[in-house]
């Protein structure tokens, strides 16, 4: 009961905090099945607060009985949004690529658009989970490489099969001077990144496995030199995917501005490795490329805009990326789409916020007493004077794009939220747009973290825990 009281108390505080939020709120959502085979849906809010600090809070973790159709999910999420009173503040919803999520997003977008609360009619509402897409792409490539990796997998499994073998292997590693904190890791078929970690750790002990094959007649899985070389190439091929997945999965820092440059690197890597001399690596790349094209043919427009709002890159970086892809893309058409959509979004912010900004400036100017100016009568004729020079008015976005870019090398560790906070006085409207876009989560990792907590709360020892108690335990953790 104490937990429920605390949850209700914190829920009231969180609701008041969301009411005071002046920025747009981005959401992530996912569905999970507990160890008791019960379905749960989570909803996590993401926004930049008044101090320009990125906030992420699990606001719902609710039991949802089957069916988990798009209609059912949309009704549930819409109910959550109404309950929290944030329907007029929603900017985006990040989901994985399940078909029921696509249907849910479509229904929600229609509901919110009919109320006129989404910017640009909801054109920027749906964001696909990048980590999930990367997983689909790499899994496609690993289908080709599974046979090539089988001996390494069996070798690791052999060593980890008993304590005696692990001790003996450790002694051999000492003899060969292999000193590392990384032990052997066995992969899990459903997690491609575990396959990368298995390869990375096994390659460290390559010589040790070779010696083990000479002294242990029961060890029959030793890869040949050619197979080790191939494993090294596969590991090198997968490294960028692993690093980018890790980067995208951060929830304590903005990731939207990191999206374009890293997805672009993946595309370049696939194009390059399709021409690899290693048959397995080239086959992996060719297998992965159609899956990449399916999801990232045009990249996400709003996340390309996020890269432009990074002062180290701006529009020339998007242009550079698109043109480097050469014959694989039509860069000029895609660049024009990004530019058009960026200005459309900025104009929506101008319409929504210009009156507030004008009022703020007026209140500052009203502190001046015009009658105290001794030169008032002298320059009165100027009030009706029209200059022969015509100055084309430029928007904040125009001015920002024309400014020189920050030195990328000197600003490698730029705190982009802190930067836009410092630019708020100079670009009052554009900074609001930047704040909202940079709060977009490009993965559903934040919602999935709720399930990690949920697996500890809802386990075989708590199989009778009521759903409302489970929600109070999980949501209170991110609110307190």
């Amino acid at each position: 009961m104490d937990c429920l009281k605390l949850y209700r108390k914190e829920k009231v505080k969180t609701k008041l905090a969301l009411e005071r939020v002046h920025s747009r709120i981005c959401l992530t959502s996912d569905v999970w099945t507990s160890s008791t085979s019960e379905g749960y849906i989570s909803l996590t809010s993401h926004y930049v607060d008044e101090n320009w600090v990125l906030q992420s809070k699990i606001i719902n973790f609710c039991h949802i009985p089957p069916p988990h159709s798009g209609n059912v999910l949309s009704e549930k999420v819409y109910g959550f949004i109404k309950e929290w009173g944030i329907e007029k503040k929603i900017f985006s919803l990040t989901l994985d690529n399940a078909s029921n999520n696509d249907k849910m997003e479509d229904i929600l977008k229609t509901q919110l658009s009919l109320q006129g609360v989404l910017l640009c009619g909801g054109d920027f509402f749906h964001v696909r989970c990048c980590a999930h897409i990367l997983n689909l792409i790499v899994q496609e490539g690993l289908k080709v490489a599974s046979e090539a990796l089988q001996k390494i997998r069996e070798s690791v499994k052999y060593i980890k099969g008993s304590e005696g073998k692990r001790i003996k292997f450790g002694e051999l590693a000492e003899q060969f001077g292999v000193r590392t904190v990384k032990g052997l890791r066995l992969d899990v078929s459903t997690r491609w990144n575990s396959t990368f970690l298995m390869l990375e750790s096994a390659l460290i002990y390559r010589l040790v496995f070779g010696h083990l094959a000479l002294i242990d007649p029961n060890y029959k899985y030793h890869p040949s030199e050619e197979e080790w070389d191939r494993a090294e190439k596969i590991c090198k091929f997968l490294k960028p995917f692993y690093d980018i997945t890790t980067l995208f999965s951060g929830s304590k820092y903005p990731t939207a501005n990191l999206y374009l440059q890293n997805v672009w690197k993946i595309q370049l890597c696939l194009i390059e490795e399709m021409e690899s001399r290693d048959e397995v690596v080239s086959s992996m790349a060719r297998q992965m490329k159609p899956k990449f094209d399916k999801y990232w043919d045009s990249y996400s427009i709003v996340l390309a805009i996020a890269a432009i709002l990074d002062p180290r890159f701006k529009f020339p970086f998007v242009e550079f990326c698109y043109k480097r892809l050469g014959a694989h893309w039509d860069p000029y058409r895609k660049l024009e789409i990004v530019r058009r959509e960026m200005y459309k979004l900025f104009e929506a912010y101008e319409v929504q916020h210009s009156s507030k900004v004008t009022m703020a400036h007026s209140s500052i100017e009203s502190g001046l007493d015009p009658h105290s100016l001794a030169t008032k009568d002298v320059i009165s004729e100027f009030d009706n004077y029209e200059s022969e020079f015509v100055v084309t008015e430029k928007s904040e976005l125009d001015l920002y794009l024309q400014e020189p870019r920050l030195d990328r090398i000197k600003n490698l560790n730029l705190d982009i939220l802190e930067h836009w906070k410092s630019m708020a006085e100079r670009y009052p409207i554009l900074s609001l747009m930047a704040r909202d876009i940079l709060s977009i989560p490009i993965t559903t990792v934040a919602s999935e973290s709720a399930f990690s907590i949920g697996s500890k709360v809802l386990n075989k020892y708590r199989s009778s825990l009521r759903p409302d108690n489970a929600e109070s335990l999980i949501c209170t953790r991110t609110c307190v």
Side-chain angles (χ1 to χ4, degrees):
M1 290 302 293
D2 289 340
C3 180
L4 282 172
K5 287 180 181 177
L6 179 61
Y7 168 62
R8 294 186 188 111
K9 178 182 175 183
E10 292 300 326
K11 187 173 182 179
V12 170
K13 287 169 61 177
T14 301
K15 192 168 185 177
L16 287 172
L18 292 175
E19 286 176 4
R20 291 194 296 267
V21 169
H22 297 299
S23 62
R24 289 269 170 172
I25 297 173
C26 301
L27 302 172
T28 55
S29 184
D30 209 347
V31 177
W32 171 71
T33 302
S34 71
S35 60
T36 59
S37 299
E38 292 178 312
Y40 282 82
I41 183 170
S42 72
L43 187 68
T44 308
S45 64
H46 311 263
Y47 60 92
V48 176
D49 65 18
E50 66 277 6
N51 297 315
W52 289 79
V53 176
L54 184 63
Q55 299 291 342
S56 179
K57 297 179 184 296
I58 302 168
I59 55 177
N60 289 99
F61 187 87
C62 184
H63 175 240
I64 180 168
H68 298 160
S69 64
N71 290 310
V72 171
L73 295 178
S74 64
E75 184 179 351
K76 201 74 174 176
V77 172
Y78 185 71
F80 293 155
I81 292 171
K82 292 287 287 184
E83 177 191 2
W84 287 99
I86 57 175
E87 63 272 20
K88 293 182 180 179
K89 297 181 178 183
I90 301 301
F91 187 87
S92 69
L93 175 63
T94 304
L95 303 164
D96 68 26
N97 296 283
S99 57
N100 58 344
N101 279 338
D102 287 343
K103 181 67 175 176
M104 173 182 75
E105 177 276 331
D106 191 49
I107 296 171
L108 273 175
K109 178 178 164 181
T110 301
Q111 287 177 309
L112 295 171
S113 295
L114 287 173
Q115 297 175 42
V117 296
L118 291 179
L119 290 171
C120 302
D123 287 352
F124 309 104
F125 178 61
H126 188 197
V127 178
R128 294 186 181 276
C129 174
C130 300
H132 188 254
I133 295 173
L134 279 172
N135 179 59
L136 293 174
I137 290 170
V138 179
Q139 289 287 9
E140 200 68 28
L142 288 176
K143 290 176 184 177
V144 176
S146 59
E147 188 176 336
L149 302 177
Q150 191 59 29
K151 282 189 180 179
I152 292 177
R153 184 176 292 112
E154 291 300 326
S155 294
V156 174
K157 195 182 297 183
Y158 178 78
I159 298 302
K160 296 179 77 68
S162 71
E163 184 180 6
K165 291 173 185 173
R166 290 196 297 272
I167 293 172
K168 184 178 179 181
F169 192 80
E171 291 171 351
L172 284 174
E174 283 285 335
Q175 290 176 24
F176 280 88
V178 179
R179 294 180 178 86
T180 177
V181 294
K182 289 186 178 180
L184 290 174
R185 305 182 69 162
L186 187 62
D187 66 340
V188 179
S189 59
T190 55
R191 294 177 54 209
W192 76 266
N193 53 334
S194 68
T195 302
F196 166 77
L197 293 172
M198 179 187 73
L199 284 178
E200 186 183 49
S201 63
L203 284 165
I204 295 171
Y205 296 96
R206 179 174 176 171
L207 289 176
V208 184
F209 277 114
H211 190 70
L212 181 68
L214 297 174
I215 64 174
D216 186 349
N218 295 317
Y219 173 50
K220 304 181 185 300
Y221 313 103
H222 182 235
S224 65
E225 289 301 307
E226 182 183 353
E227 288 168 330
W228 276 118
D229 290 342
R230 176 167 289 161
E232 195 166 349
K233 290 174 183 174
I234 293 172
C235 190
K236 183 180 177 182
F237 177 49
L238 293 178
K239 182 73 162 60
F241 292 86
Y242 178 81
D243 291 342
I244 290 168
T245 299
T246 303
L247 181 70
F248 282 176
S249 299
S251 58
K252 300 296 183 184
Y253 53 85
T255 54
N257 60 310
L258 307 175
Y259 169 90
L260 177 69
Q261 57 181 298
N262 287 291
V263 172
W264 173 70
K265 287 177 186 176
I266 290 293
Q267 188 167 9
L268 285 181
C269 178
L270 289 174
I271 293 169
E272 180 183 339
E273 295 300 343
M274 284 170 67
E275 306 301 323
S276 172
R277 293 182 179 180
D278 188 282
E279 185 180 342
V280 172
V281 173
S282 62
S283 296
M284 285 178 68
R286 286 195 297 270
Q287 190 83 2
M288 293 160 73
K289 186 64 166 55
K291 186 72 76 171
F292 179 96
D293 293 341
K294 176 182 177 181
Y295 291 110
W296 278 323
D297 178 52
S298 59
Y299 293 176
S300 175
I301 299 298
V302 71
L303 296 175
I305 295 172
I308 295 170
L309 292 172
D310 189 321
R312 298 166 295 181
F313 297 110
K314 298 194 176 183
F315 198 85
F317 181 71
V318 181
E319 183 180 2
F320 169 77
C321 290
Y322 286 5
K323 287 184 177 180
R324 274 290 305 273
L325 295 171
H328 297 275
W329 274 43
D330 178 0
Y332 296 101
R333 183 179 66 84
K334 296 181 187 299
L335 286 168
E336 183 54 38
I337 291 171
V338 172
R339 182 185 290 276
R340 184 182 68 237
E341 294 300 306
M342 177 173 58
Y343 272 90
K344 182 173 76 173
L345 182 59
F346 176 72
E347 286 164 10
Y349 272 85
E350 277 191 314
V351 170
Q352 190 174 78
H353 296 285
S354 58
S355 59
K356 297 177 184 177
V357 172
T358 303
M359 286 173 64
H361 285 296
S362 298
S363 64
I364 296 171
E365 293 167 2
S366 64
L368 298 173
D369 182 2
H371 298 290
S372 66
L373 300 176
T375 57
K376 181 177 183 297
D377 293 334
V378 179
I379 64 170
S380 59
E381 292 181 17
F382 174 71
D383 296 336
N384 298 315
Y385 177 77
E386 293 185 10
S387 174
E388 296 177 6
F389 295 96
V390 177
V391 178
T392 303
E393 186 178 353
K394 293 183 178 180
S395 69
E396 290 180 22
L397 181 55
D398 293 323
L399 295 172
Y400 166 75
L401 292 176
Q402 289 173 8
E403 276 190 345
R405 302 190 303 276
L406 294 184
D407 188 295
R408 189 180 62 83
I409 303 300
K410 292 180 180 178
N411 294 277
L412 281 177
N413 299 315
L414 176 72
D415 184 333
I416 194 163
L417 289 180
E418 189 63 33
H419 170 81
W420 277 106
K421 179 183 179 181
S422 69
M423 300 298 285
E425 186 173 343
R426 186 173 186 178
Y427 298 123
I429 296 174
L430 186 61
S431 64
L432 297 177
M433 175 172 145
R435 180 183 63 182
D436 292 345
I437 290 177
L438 292 171
S439 65
I440 297 174
I442 59 175
T443 71
T444 58
V445 167
S447 287
E448 289 170 6
S449 68
F451 305 146
S452 297
I453 302 169
S455 63
K456 297 174 184 177
V457 172
L458 292 162
N459 54 40
K460 62 182 180 180
Y461 302 109
R462 288 174 169 171
S463 57
S464 299
L465 192 68
R466 285 173 44 184
D468 57 339
N469 288 333
E471 182 172 35
S472 65
L473 287 166
I474 291 166
C475 292
T476 305
R477 289 174 68 112
T478 62
C479 295
V480 176

